[in-house]
Amino acid sequence: MLRLCGLQFLLLIHSAVWLHLECLSVSGPLKDMDFNVQEGGGPRILHQFTLEPPAVSFRASGEKAGIIDIDPKTGILYINGSLDWETKQVHKLQVESVDESGSRVKGPYAVTIYVEDINDNPPEFNQTEYKGVVRQNSRPGKPFMYVYATDRDDPKTPHAQLSYSILHHFPKYFEEMLFQIDNATGAISPTKTGSYYLDPLKQDTFTLVVSVKDMGGMTTNAFASSVDVVITVMESLWKAPPTIHIKENSTQVHPVNITKVQSNEPDVIYDLFEKEKLPRLPFSVSEDGTIYVTEPLDREEKDMYTFYVVSKDSTGELVEKPLQIQVIVEDINDNPPVCQQDLTVVEVQENEKGGSNIGTVLATDMDEKGSLNSRLRFQIQSQEPQYPSGSLFYIQQDTGTLQLTGPSLSKRDSAKYSLTVLVSDPDFKTICDVEVHVIDINDQIPIFEKSDYDSVTLSENTPVGTVILEIQATDGDEPATGSSLIVYQMKEGDPNNTFIIETDSETNRGFVKINKALDFEAMPVYNLVINATNPEPLVQGVQYNESSLATFKVFVTNVDEPPVFQKPVYKTEVSEDIPVNTLVMTVEAYDPEGDSVRYSLEGDVRKWLRIDSVTGQVYTASLLDREKEEIYSIEVAVSELNNAAQKSKAFLVLQLRDVNDNHPQIATDNPTFFCYPVSGGEKTLIQAIDADELLFYSKFTFSLADEMNARNNWEISKYNATHAYLSPKHGNFEEKVYDVPIILNDNGEPPLENKVNLKVSICKCSTENSCFIEIDRQHSWPTAGQAIGILLGVLLIIGAILAGVFIHMKHKEKKNGKSQPKDAKDNAELNRLA
């Protein structure tokens, strides 16, 4: 600490006096004063108090710490040394002036010296070495240990704001660090890489060099300290168990213990959650991590379960990564074979040879596929009729394939055979019924009634599904069989399947229909060749020939089609402030006949756009305004150049991006007023609004204009992002309307500012605390012209009423007859009205 002896400091004081205290920034009479003095810095003069007669000198007392005092004659308050914030932050003194007899003239006055901290202390760790343990596969970012350091400097300043970091990492196998530290709390945790790669079998110990810096670690002249942190890696207790196998339909008492998990952390809460959204999860987990199956399982309902077990702390946060639990339900033979069809029908042609496969009996078993529980065996138990033999059929026991055992069947012997087939697994048996139909052999080919169906001419806009031709062929095989059913197909001339032929199964009549839209430009003529075949194959030696073929021509005529847009909707986004004549998009259309086209816009009510009629380029025709319309939708039309009637339309949608181009305003929904007389403390809430999109202002700034009256009379204070309080600064207001100039700033990009004169009424208030305005008496009476008009109107109404009454009475008089006297009551009424 720098300190001057008494003689040296006395010379310093006298020098200051001789120089008229030019180096002192402030001098003045004795009064209470506060000083902020940075610690260190050596001797210095703080202030000079001036004497006021009859005072002749000063004296000081209090917390002078041996280095703070006042020169009695000159009144110079000085420090003869260096202050230390860590020793004492505040020094309180009393200063008074005295006369020649030593009696107090003024004071004592309080002089308080606040010592300001400087960064003169390095941070210190509370341990010389730290040791910690981390488990393998620990969750990334979850702390497993902490380091802690302190700094003797002022904790309210950056001098004591500490920042932790890892300087070195031994050993270092990867470019990425295996550990990380929270720079504010000193919490050490694994990184993602560390969580994945930490393995005690590969490396069980790591040493980190952890550094701590003051000044938040943000300056180059910050103090720093470091310490070694030794970390031991231990094997993870948190491991997924191997796949669990459970036999279905178990008769054990449930719940049944199937496995157990254990967390690396103590006092965790275990929970299960599903990978699949099941109606129920037949598993549970206990407090100690034991996992149970809660009910018997059915493999046919679900053969495998996959779910997760998690460990959480008391706040519900995950402690470790979820573990996947997989349960396989093992099969038992608890399902009988099931016939796939109630009745299996097999058709056999008369000429089938012995040993031929004629069909298959299909059956299933819901038990596990590929196991003995689902292995099926087939056996023929009976055949009806047993003519000409009782064993005409054979079934392969493992496949269910039916075969003929002897010579070909004859429809004359029997047209149908009924078989019962026994299907069995190791424990269950089922009967399947089979019918074998003997069918006529296909030895006749279809023959068209005529080989040439001439031609038809169609316009290219003929609807899809239109029948354009009916054709007929006949077949000599047995009716209503696959041998006689005729299938018509386009053999040649229709590469794109433009046509389709449907067959009436009862009459074998064919209907040629349009399957796809015709296109004159793509295919003006079709030379079609139609063939007729049977679903059943022909017998050996018989082949289809020209009798089963027919020809037909289709001529397509051109139709003038309107142009076609490439897209039904053209959409783009532009900023609302783009200049006029800016290209915003290009629309494209073509005419199927290759004619030239022209473009136009329809529905452009704001006249914002124009289009090049030849190129389809759309430009801005005037300035855009998002506040008028954010999404501007119109139609763009395209027509043939030489035939405007051939026209198509598409939508053109312009999404306007907002810019900050509207000045903020004061909302005027409710009048602003204060009740007269103003008593002080009143305030009213005012609101700022802006037509721009919310994106462009996060908050408004309110301030009073730089006018003397405004700032003397009013004050404004922030309430929230869009509102502020306006309040009068005094009570001397007249009962009238004041213009209060307020400057609003929307803090947008760019920021826009607006000066608004807010009308504020000072008015008498009603009991409901609302502004009461007297009606001026001179405006409460009508003018002479108005009075005459009102009088004439009243007279006309009275006249109309009297006329109505007289007509009514006359009518009543005629009705009662001339000889009858008038009703006295009516006369009285007439007299009264007159």
Side-chain angles (χ1 to χ4, degrees):
M1 177 187 295
L2 176 61
R3 185 171 179 179
L4 300 179
C5 67
L7 179 60
Q8 289 173 318
F9 204 76
L10 187 59
L11 290 172
L12 176 64
I13 293 173
H14 283 294
S15 298
V17 173
W18 184 72
L19 292 171
H20 303 288
L21 300 171
E22 292 178 357
C23 61
L24 295 179
S25 59
V26 179
S27 64
L30 192 61
K31 60 180 179 179
D32 292 340
M33 295 195 72
D34 294 339
F35 299 95
N36 292 304
V37 180
Q38 198 175 71
E39 68 172 322
R44 71 197 78 179
I45 295 172
L46 301 181
H47 188 75
Q48 183 185 27
F49 294 105
T50 56
L51 285 169
E52 297 178 9
V56 296
S57 64
F58 297 92
R59 66 185 174 201
S61 61
E63 301 171 346
K64 298 194 285 185
I67 59 174
I68 306 172
D69 213 338
I70 188 168
D71 184 77
K73 297 299 182 182
T74 63
I76 293 177
L77 181 66
Y78 63 88
I79 300 174
N80 185 18
S82 296
L83 300 178
D84 185 12
W85 181 90
E86 287 74 29
T87 303
K88 191 170 181 63
Q89 289 88 41
V90 181
H91 296 268
K92 295 184 177 181
L93 290 78
Q94 294 78 40
V95 178
E96 59 189 7
S97 63
V98 297
D99 58 16
E100 290 182 350
S101 64
S103 299
R104 181 190 305 147
V105 176
K106 292 183 69 177
Y109 289 95
V111 175
T112 305
I113 299 174
Y114 295 95
V115 183
E116 294 181 344
D117 183 51
I118 64 172
N119 191 22
D120 57 350
N121 289 283
E124 297 178 353
F125 284 99
N126 65 345
Q127 296 182 32
T128 57
E129 184 182 71
Y130 291 86
K131 293 185 178 181
V133 174
V134 62
R135 290 281 181 181
Q136 181 184 10
N137 297 329
S138 292
R139 188 171 55 144
K142 179 171 177 58
F144 60 87
M145 67 176 299
Y146 289 81
V147 297
Y148 181 72
T150 57
D151 193 304
R152 295 180 60 230
D153 287 319
D154 187 355
K156 299 177 182 177
T157 67
H159 306 153
Q161 289 182 6
L162 305 183
S163 177
Y164 299 92
S165 62
I166 297 176
L167 284 180
H168 302 293
H169 184 300
F170 304 108
K172 188 176 182 183
Y173 296 115
F174 306 96
E175 278 298 318
E176 297 180 30
M177 301 282 278
L178 300 182
F179 300 95
Q180 58 192 355
I181 190 168
D182 188 303
N183 63 352
T185 64
I188 299 176
S189 61
T191 62
K192 286 185 179 180
T193 304
S195 176
Y196 186 81
Y197 286 106
L198 285 176
D199 187 349
L201 299 179
K202 296 179 180 178
Q203 179 69 37
D204 61 354
T205 305
F206 291 88
T207 299
L208 307 181
V209 180
V210 175
S211 169
V212 62
K213 291 184 178 181
D214 60 18
M215 302 299 289
M218 302 301 292
T219 62
T220 55
N221 59 347
F223 288 110
S225 299
S226 61
V227 69
D228 284 359
V229 178
V230 180
I231 298 172
T232 302
V233 182
M234 298 186 69
E235 184 180 4
S236 177
L237 301 174
W238 185 246
K239 295 180 179 179
T243 300
I244 302 163
H245 294 265
I246 301 176
K247 282 194 177 294
E248 67 171 329
N249 298 324
S250 171
T251 57
Q252 290 180 274
V253 178
H254 287 76
V256 176
N257 179 349
I258 57 174
T259 190
K260 185 176 181 180
V261 295
Q262 183 178 350
S263 172
N264 291 318
E265 304 291 333
D267 303 323
V268 299
I269 301 168
Y270 298 99
D271 195 9
L272 303 180
F273 70 90
E274 306 172 47
K275 182 178 180 182
E276 309 157 282
K277 295 299 179 184
L278 301 174
R280 69 184 189 285
L281 183 68
F283 301 95
S284 64
V285 61
S286 67
E287 292 181 357
D288 66 352
T290 302
I291 298 175
Y292 298 89
V293 57
T294 58
E295 61 187 60
L297 305 180
D298 185 355
R299 193 203 68 84
E300 286 71 44
E301 180 182 321
K302 189 168 179 60
D303 61 355
M304 185 173 71
Y305 292 86
T306 300
F307 56 93
Y308 292 87
V309 59
V310 295
S311 57
K312 302 177 182 178
D313 58 23
S314 58
T315 66
E317 289 292 321
L318 289 179
V319 175
E320 289 124 335
K321 293 184 292 187
L323 296 182
Q324 179 175 288
I325 308 296
Q326 193 170 63
V327 176
I328 293 177
V329 184
E330 294 183 343
D331 186 48
I332 63 172
N333 191 15
D334 57 348
N335 288 282
V338 176
C339 305
Q340 280 199 2
Q341 297 175 323
D342 293 336
L343 177 64
T344 301
V345 177
V346 177
E347 292 185 343
V348 182
Q349 293 182 345
E350 288 181 309
N351 63 341
E352 289 286 351
K353 297 180 179 179
S356 297
N357 295 339
I358 60 173
T360 302
V361 178
L362 299 177
T364 57
D365 193 306
M366 290 183 64
D367 289 316
E368 185 177 2
K369 187 178 180 180
S371 69
L372 290 174
N373 296 333
S374 62
R375 182 187 179 185
L376 302 181
R377 291 177 175 267
F378 300 84
Q379 179 183 356
I380 296 175
Q381 282 199 316
S382 66
Q383 169 196 313
E384 291 293 337
Q386 297 187 3
Y387 180 81
S389 166
S391 56
L392 295 175
F393 306 96
Y394 169 78
I395 192 167
Q396 295 183 11
Q397 66 172 3
D398 288 310
T399 64
T401 301
L402 280 170
Q403 294 176 298
L404 292 176
T405 58
S408 299
L409 301 178
S410 173
K411 194 171 183 178
R412 288 187 296 271
D413 295 334
S414 177
K416 181 176 71 175
Y417 292 90
S418 297
L419 307 178
T420 55
V421 177
L422 178 68
V423 185
S424 59
D425 66 15
D427 298 306
F428 297 95
K429 296 179 180 180
T430 300
I431 295 294
C432 293
D433 294 321
V434 180
E435 280 189 0
V436 180
H437 295 177
V438 182
I439 61 175
D440 182 38
I441 59 174
N442 190 12
D443 57 355
Q444 301 291 319
I445 64 172
I447 299 174
F448 274 103
E449 62 180 7
K450 57 182 179 179
S451 61
D452 187 354
Y453 282 89
D454 201 6
S455 64
V456 66
T457 300
L458 304 171
S459 62
E460 63 178 331
N461 62 353
T462 303
V464 172
T466 300
V467 177
I468 63 171
L469 178 68
E470 293 185 16
I471 56 178
Q472 182 71 61
T474 57
D475 191 298
D477 289 310
E478 182 182 356
T481 66
S483 299
S484 63
L485 180 65
I486 298 176
V487 177
Y488 299 99
Q489 294 173 320
M490 293 295 179
K491 184 177 181 181
E492 297 176 11
D494 187 17
N496 299 318
N497 297 320
T498 307
F499 304 97
I500 190 172
I501 306 175
E502 296 178 357
T503 304
D504 184 332
S505 59
E506 293 183 1
T507 64
N508 274 338
R509 192 164 188 80
F511 301 90
V512 182
K513 294 183 177 182
I514 299 176
N515 186 44
K516 296 180 181 177
L518 302 176
D519 188 350
F520 172 81
E521 289 74 23
M523 183 81 76
V525 180
Y526 293 87
N527 292 304
L528 305 176
V529 176
I530 305 172
N531 70 346
T533 60
N534 302 126
E536 289 291 331
L538 296 173
V539 298
Q540 189 175 1
V542 179
Q543 294 181 345
Y544 295 107
N545 55 38
E546 292 182 355
S547 299
S548 301
L549 299 176
T551 59
F552 176 54
K553 284 188 178 182
V554 177
F555 295 97
V556 182
T557 59
N558 188 29
V559 175
D560 189 10
E561 300 168 282
V564 180
F565 277 103
Q566 298 283 11
K567 296 190 293 186
V569 178
Y570 291 85
K571 187 174 182 179
T572 188
E573 183 181 32
V574 297
S575 179
E576 66 172 325
D577 62 347
I578 60 174
V580 176
N581 291 326
T582 299
L583 176 65
V584 295
M585 68 173 69
T586 300
V587 299
E588 293 182 280
Y590 68 92
D591 186 76
E593 287 76 36
D595 293 338
S596 298
V597 299
R598 65 185 304 276
Y599 300 93
S600 61
L601 299 179
E602 295 183 2
D604 184 15
V605 293
R606 297 196 178 275
K607 307 301 181 185
W608 280 354
L609 303 173
R610 66 178 178 84
I611 190 168
D612 188 308
S613 62
V614 177
T615 65
Q617 293 176 322
V618 181
Y619 299 86
T620 54
S622 59
L623 293 176
L624 310 177
D625 189 351
R626 189 202 69 86
E627 285 67 45
K628 290 183 178 177
E629 213 156 337
E630 183 176 355
I631 299 176
Y632 191 51
S633 180
I634 64 173
E635 286 184 319
V636 57
V638 62
S639 60
E640 293 181 2
L641 188 61
N642 298 319
N643 186 2
Q646 292 290 3
K647 182 168 70 172
S648 298
K649 294 181 181 181
F651 286 102
L652 190 155
V653 180
L654 207 61
Q655 175 84 42
L656 300 187
R657 204 166 44 244
D658 192 34
V659 297
N660 195 23
D661 57 352
N662 286 277
H663 291 80
Q665 302 289 337
I666 292 289
T668 56
D669 297 340
N670 298 303
T672 304
F673 69 92
F674 293 97
C675 293
Y676 178 85
V678 178
S679 59
E682 300 97 332
K683 58 183 178 180
T684 187
L685 200 62
I686 58 175
Q687 178 186 3
I689 57 175
D690 194 313
D692 287 313
E693 193 175 3
L694 187 64
L695 173 70
F696 287 101
Y697 59 92
S698 57
K699 62 180 180 179
F700 290 101
T701 302
F702 299 79
S703 61
L704 290 169
D706 191 11
E707 297 177 11
M708 184 61 68
N709 287 339
R711 297 193 174 181
N712 288 343
N713 293 338
W714 309 94
E715 63 182 356
I716 198 163
S717 58
K718 179 181 177 181
Y719 174 69
N720 60 21
T722 57
H723 292 72
Y725 283 119
L726 177 69
S727 55
K729 296 183 73 172
H730 56 79
N732 300 323
F733 285 92
E734 299 178 17
E735 188 180 353
K736 65 176 186 178
V737 177
Y738 289 84
D739 284 331
V740 181
I742 298 175
I743 297 175
L744 301 175
N745 191 308
D746 65 6
N747 295 297
E749 294 181 3
L752 293 181
E753 195 170 84
N754 190 22
K755 179 182 174 184
V756 179
N757 283 323
L758 177 65
K759 300 289 185 182
V760 180
S761 298
I762 305 295
C763 56
K764 291 180 181 178
C765 291
S766 65
T767 55
E768 289 80 15
N769 202 29
S770 60
C771 194
F772 174 75
I773 302 174
E774 280 194 10
I775 300 175
D776 195 342
R777 292 182 181 274
Q778 65 180 353
H779 297 299
S780 62
W781 297 100
T783 63
Q786 291 173 334
I788 292 170
I790 293 170
L791 181 59
L792 289 174
V794 171
L795 290 175
L796 286 171
I797 293 170
I798 292 173
I801 294 172
L802 287 173
V805 171
F806 277 116
I807 292 169
H808 172 72
M809 296 303 297
K810 284 287 184 181
H811 176 73
K812 190 173 182 180
E813 200 174 298
K814 287 181 179 180
K815 187 176 180 182
N816 293 331
K818 290 183 180 180
S819 61
Q820 295 181 1
K822 292 183 179 180
D823 191 282
K825 197 172 183 181
D826 289 344
N827 288 332
E829 183 181 354
L830 282 172
N831 291 331
R832 181 174 59 82
L833 288 173

